[in-house]
Amino acid sequence: MTKIEHFLSRIDMKGAVVERTCDFLGKIQAGCVTSIAYENLDILAGKPIDLEPEALYDKIVTRGRGGYCFELNGLLAHMLREMGFAVTERFARFLRGEKTVPMRRHHVVIVTLEEGDYLCDIGVGQIAPRLPLKVEENLIQEQNGEVYRFERDAEHGWILWDFHHGEWRKYICFTDDRAYDVDFLQPSFFCEAHPDSVFNKAPMIAIKTKMGRCTIDGRVYKEFHGEELVHIEEEISDARMKELLCSIFKMKSNL
């Protein structure tokens, strides 16, 4: 298999013919979030995160692992370029649930098509877009029962809002400044090693499903249909954790 064929097989798109269209881009993003787990297990194990494209490909595609935003969106950007898409990468601030302006520690991908720029992001374990969003101010965009819109801000650039329980809430923001591979090394190291990082404390694992998503937070396993919690297991054992990683989160056992 070629690299592209292997990647497409990894996201349940085996045999797909590459088309540089919004529809095909959406199939890639949806395939990624339902096939590749958001996970921080290497960080917890003290294994340094390697953000080089070939290392990401080896970990996520060849070895069947997942990763967090710097890894997942780094791989996505790399593979989209391999397919001939026009791609730039951006730093973003994750605003959901924040009361003050947070640091830039989120990685997103912008794909330019004939009809405009599209935000692609496969690096969020929470409720998040499964399909590309057109970067256009005040355009209401609905997908999978969720509603999003962009706002242009003089200070923070593009602010993406989502409609939640009858109210708009800020989700992420990013400017038009292009980010390069080297720019992500420092914030990724912060997430790996800093005492204030949320990523080095306990397992954070998630994957989207047709009905919603499945998560492991610490030792608690949950299944959601939309926002409704439909199943929970507390204090899961190591054996149960390994079983879930393989069966639900589509990760190979040789972590």
Side-chain angles (χ1 to χ4, degrees), residues 219 233 235-247:
R219 287 286 174 170
E233 298 176 30
E235 300 299 328
I236 59 175
S237 65
D238 288 346
R240 179 59 172 154
M241 171 84 80
K242 290 182 180 179
E243 179 186 355
L244 289 167
L245 293 180
C246 295
S247 63

Side-chain angles (χ1 to χ4, degrees), residues 4-69:
I4 292 174
E5 289 171 338
H6 198 178
F7 171 74
L8 292 174
S9 179
R10 174 75 171 88
I11 62 172
D12 292 329
M13 291 180 63
K14 185 176 181 179
V17 177
V18 173
E19 300 173 357
R20 287 184 284 279
T21 64
C22 186
D23 180 67
F24 189 81
L25 187 64
K27 291 178 181 177
I28 292 173
Q29 182 168 330
C32 285
V33 298
T34 55
S35 302
I36 302 174
Y38 177 96
E39 52 107 341
N40 65 335
L41 297 180
D42 277 357
I43 293 177
L44 295 177
K47 298 179 181 179
I49 301 298
D50 190 340
L51 298 182
E52 288 295 321
E54 292 304 321
L56 297 177
Y57 183 91
D58 176 66
K59 177 180 178 178
I60 299 170
V61 179
T62 304
R63 294 191 284 121
R65 286 287 305 279
Y68 74 146
C69 74

Side-chain angles (χ1 to χ4, degrees), residues 51-142:
L51 298 182
E52 288 295 321
E54 292 304 321
L56 297 177
Y57 183 91
D58 176 66
K59 177 180 178 178
I60 299 170
V61 179
T62 304
R63 294 191 284 121
R65 286 287 305 279
Y68 74 146
C69 74
F70 294 110
E71 298 172 283
L72 299 178
N73 284 326
L75 175 69
L76 178 64
H78 173 61
M79 293 310 305
L80 290 176
R81 288 192 183 102
E82 289 282 313
M83 296 179 202
F85 284 92
V87 177
T88 57
E89 296 162 80
R90 310 282 174 83
F91 268 125
R93 302 182 196 273
F94 194 85
L95 303 176
R96 184 182 288 165
E98 297 286 350
K99 295 182 179 179
T100 59
V101 178
M103 68 182 292
R104 290 175 176 166
R105 61 168 177 80
H106 187 52
H107 180 171
V108 297
V109 177
I110 301 295
V111 178
T112 300
L113 301 174
E114 288 185 5
E115 56 268 42
D117 289 345
Y118 287 82
L119 170 72
C120 296
D121 186 357
I122 63 171
V124 177
Q126 302 178 20
I127 292 176
R130 300 176 182 221
L131 299 172
L133 290 172
K134 190 173 186 180
V135 184
E136 180 177 322
E137 190 170 15
N138 296 323
L139 175 65
I140 302 297
Q141 302 182 64
E142 300 182 28

Side-chain angles (χ1 to χ4, degrees), residues 151-222:
E151 175 185 285
R152 191 72 168 147
D153 180 80
E155 182 175 359
H156 297 294
W158 293 102
I159 300 178
L160 180 60
W161 299 69
D162 68 332
F163 197 66
H164 180 72
H165 291 172
E167 295 182 345
W168 288 101
R169 62 178 177 176
K170 292 180 179 179
Y171 171 42
I172 62 171
C173 68
F174 56 91
T175 67
D176 290 326
D177 296 334
R178 180 174 182 172
Y180 296 87
D181 290 348
V182 67
D183 295 323
F184 297 113
L185 297 179
Q186 185 171 340
S188 183
F189 183 71
F190 173 93
C191 293
E192 294 175 62
H194 198 280
D196 292 339
S197 170
V198 300
F199 297 95
N200 55 22
K201 304 297 188 295
M204 299 168 60
I205 308 169
I207 197 166
K208 305 294 191 297
T209 65
K210 289 183 178 180
M211 298 297 294
R213 59 196 172 97
C214 297
T215 67
I216 293 177
D217 188 0
R219 287 286 174 170
V220 180
Y221 170 65
K222 297 179 181 179

